[in-house]
Amino acid sequence: MATQQLPPSGAKTPAKLVATRGRAEAKEARSGRLFVAPFLIMFTVVFLIPMIVAIRQSFFTKKAAGGGLFGGGEAVDVFVGLENYAAVVTDTRFWAGIGRVVGYAAFQIPVMILMALALALVLDSFLTRHVTIYRLGFFLPYAVPGIVAAMVWMYMYTPEISPIVKGLSALGLDVNFMGENMILLSMANMTTWTFTGYNMLIFLAALQAIPHDLYEAARLDGATGFQVTTKIKVPMVRGAALLTVLLSIIGTIQLFNEPTVMATVNPWMGNDYTPMMMAYNTMLGQISPGGDGPASAISIVMALIAGGLAVVYALLQRKKD
Amino acid sequence: MRHNKAGLLTRSIGLAAVGVLALSACSGGGTPEKAPEKETGTPTESAAPQEPVNISYMHRLPDGDGMTKISELADQWNKENPNIQVTATKFDGASAEMLKKLETDINANVGTCLAQLGYAEVPEMFAKGLAVDVSEFADQYKSNFEGTSELMRVGDAVVGLPQDTGPLVYYYNKAEFEALGLTVPTTTDEFIEQAKKSAEAGKYIVAFQPDEVPNWLSGQAAAAGSSWYNPVNDEWVVTVTDEGSERAAAFWQELLDSKATAVHERWGESFGKALNDGEVIGTIGAAWEAPLLADNMAGTANEGQWAVAQLPDFGAGALTGPDGGSGVAVLKGCEFPEQAMEFNNWLNTQVDALATQGLVVATSVGVPSTPEAISAFYGGQDVLAELGEANKRLSPNFSYMPYFSTIHDPMKKAASAAADGTGKVAEIFTAAQEQSIKSLKDAGLPVAE
């Protein structure tokens, strides 16, 4: 039996077919590249190049070059190898900052994720009408730029002018939101307010992707609404939960806006309250004269830590599954 | 308004703008100048160029309502000097951010020619190789800046001309003082005595300001006779914990211990509220505070009640210290330093225009008339004349080291501890001493220990 089928008459010969397909593929590839080009260009300009520059910078420190009291009015970038990295990892201020951030994350992330999940479940349930309004309402805080949100909250925390502090004090509760023991909680509240809606959207999208046949089947089997939620909905959004927690870890490790604004009226917090503040203020020359080199080293160490934490979390999560 | 004086809001917005700035710095934002090509002609040829030269200038003056805007001044200059065209750019944000922008721009060869630098920042900018020596063009203008031209000197180099000064003075509520039977203190002992008397009546004649200590308290140490950074045998000898600092520390420790002073962050909301409520009826502040305080208390019972007096004697005679103030420096890459200095001199001698910006001018060519709004708040007092007197009392011995800004944070933290009683005022100076030595070493500058 002939294994090869002859092409029907009138059809293109294989050679012709390949040629046409080749042209079509080339055309497709060309337009594909065109579509990808803006991304690639922006990715290179705002991401890749700065990253390479930062890595290069992290091996240099500005040092006086010309001699004399003012270095002869000359400073050059001197290659110092891993000195900047050594300075970061041996700096107690850096680790104190990490400690604050980790403590903050351990408390804030679970609270926020659980709230986001709860809100998403409520919105997803058939009980709620006008989902769009609620969805928009919960998401709205995220639309407020982080620095503006931090400033609004700072005014609400300032004892002398805050209606909240006054209200609580009228109830006999004296709360100092700016106190050294309270300030991490106060900032956790800001972050939770901003990002709960954002995480809720991710959960909501995952919930709405669940096939409704499952609910129907469960109901036929006699499952209650509560059982549907705990036995079907929650397990089905595990992927979304992983995503939100990962994003939160990466976001929290970069804690910057909230403490920076709070530090403007609480100088005891200092320039190095969180590692990202330390990186930024080092870059501005407010912490060490070395400038960009030491600042880049801090940023890169932070990137490694954030990446490490994310990997650890993902692995743990996979193991659990 | 020199260092960080833009107020909380602008400062925070400045922070938000940093990302944008970083981008614009990359893309060559700011005022583009021709790429600096080496002048092939002799200096005399470049002194009289055929084509108009372009000078760019960056400042962070307030440019508020009712003030003579710096860009208007530049327009006026451009009309009168067709050969030297100046473009003025206002930078919105904190001083540290502006310095970073200048540095980044200069390294990318798109830096401005002239820029406003705080006096405490001048040595740092020079050590970084960003401000250049223009003493050959500066000497001819020296007579316009009697006693203040040294402020822009770094060792043997002069990097520009001074614009305004920030001598510390004492602001107080005259009416409250009369009501409480207080006298304006002329020595620190009298000050403490009056402060205790006033505290008994539930009012404070001064506020300790932890967020403001780096320049504020160093200025007071200067008033007490301190000289922190001394060049000896081509090495820095750091003496932050000297006798003057000890006197200033003892003064505040006594006030804090006896609860005779209020404690407020200068740039938080609480200080303004305490002023408005009449809880704080006096403050030690820089000359540039005059319009800010008037602004803080505008429309309250305080109007017309306040007055300005000289800083009390901190133990070194009729001396005061610097708290801020800035000059206009010529930066690296400036193609036409001579013409830039010509404009610099003209700009910094526009006394009335600069006074509208709330500046206490550094020039000696004339005393501006006190703007009406200021004079009205201070009960008709000729405020600028009083501040001019303070200018003359500025300590000649006090100067800053390069990288002075690195000691701000340790000082502020120690000051917060002193304010809430968990630390001592003297520890502010110890912290500054340690960080000073560390920073000089890290920068590769010679320091004696």
Side-chain angles (χ1 to χ4, degrees), chain B residues 162-185:
Chain B
Q163 186 170 68
D164 77 301
T165 56
L168 286 169
V169 289
Y170 183 57
Y171 299 93
Y172 67 103
N173 186 321
K174 210 172 179 173
E176 289 280 0
F177 264 57
E178 273 160 23
L180 294 171
L182 304 172
T183 56
V184 181

Side-chain angles (χ1 to χ4, degrees), chain A residues 142-156:
Chain A
Y142 181 70
V144 178
I147 201 89
V148 176
M151 288 177 66
V152 169
W153 278 106
M154 189 191 70
Y155 283 99
M156 300 221 246

Side-chain angles (χ1 to χ4, degrees), chain A residues 232-284:
Chain A
I232 299 177
K233 289 187 176 181
V234 173
M236 293 287 276
V237 296
R238 196 184 282 141
L242 175 66
L243 178 70
T244 52
V245 173
L246 274 181
L247 289 177
S248 301
I249 290 176
I250 295 167
T252 311
I253 208 91
Q254 302 175 30
L255 192 61
F256 178 81
N257 288 343
E258 292 85 355
T260 301
V261 170
M262 293 294 257
T264 56
V265 288
N266 296 291
W268 57 264
M269 291 171 70
N271 273 340
D272 45 21
Y273 192 74
T274 69
M276 289 322 280
M277 282 175 75
M278 190 174 171
Y280 176 73
N281 289 309
T282 303
M283 188 266 291
L284 287 186

Side-chain angles (χ1 to χ4, degrees), chain A residues 46 61-64 67-75 93 147 151 154-155 158 160-161 166 180 256 260-261 264-272 280 283-292, chain B residues 8-9 12 15-16 18 96-97 100 103 123-124 126-129 154-155 210-211 231 234-236 265 267-270 273 402-403 405-406 409 412-413 416 420 435 439 441-446:
Chain A
V46 305
T61 298
K62 232 179 211 4
K63 292 265 186 203
L69 291 165
F70 299 95
E74 228 181 300
R93 294 175 300 181
I147 201 89
M151 288 177 66
M154 189 191 70
Y155 283 99
T158 302
E160 289 82 0
I161 53 174
K166 273 185 199 146
E180 276 185 54
F256 178 81
T260 301
V261 170
T264 56
V265 288
N266 296 291
W268 57 264
M269 291 171 70
N271 273 340
D272 45 21
Y280 176 73
M283 188 266 291
L284 287 186
Q286 303 282 297
I287 290 180
S288 85
D292 296 339
Chain B
L8 186 58
L9 186 76
S12 308
L15 283 171
V18 164
E97 284 150 11
K100 193 68 198 174
E103 183 177 351
E124 172 171 347
F126 182 74
K128 278 187 177 169
V154 188
D211 60 342
D234 247 3
E235 277 190 330
W236 288 105
E265 309 301 340
W267 307 107
E269 293 299 316
S270 70
K273 187 164 187 299
Y403 306 106
S405 49
T406 58
D409 202 42
K412 286 187 201 174
K413 282 181 187 160
S416 289
D420 65 25
Q435 184 62 47
S439 292
K441 271 192 191 162
D442 284 352
L445 296 171

Side-chain angles (χ1 to χ4, degrees), chain A residues 176-257:
Chain A
N176 179 10
F177 290 108
M178 305 276 207
E180 276 185 54
N181 301 324
M182 266 299 276
I183 207 146
L184 275 178
L185 276 179
S186 304
M187 292 191 299
N189 174 48
M190 292 184 199
T191 315
T192 307
W193 177 80
T194 306
F195 288 98
T196 302
Y198 172 82
N199 289 309
M200 179 210 70
L201 272 196
I202 297 177
F203 280 123
L204 197 58
L207 283 170
Q208 289 179 344
I210 298 173
H212 282 227
D213 315 1
L214 286 176
Y215 305 155
E216 211 181 317
R219 229 162 280 268
L220 285 175
D221 284 346
T224 61
F226 183 74
Q227 279 170 326
V228 168
T229 303
T230 51
K231 299 266 156 59
I232 299 177
K233 289 187 176 181
V234 173
M236 293 287 276
V237 296
R238 196 184 282 141
L242 175 66
L243 178 70
T244 52
V245 173
L246 274 181
L247 289 177
S248 301
I249 290 176
I250 295 167
T252 311
I253 208 91
Q254 302 175 30
L255 192 61
F256 178 81
N257 288 343

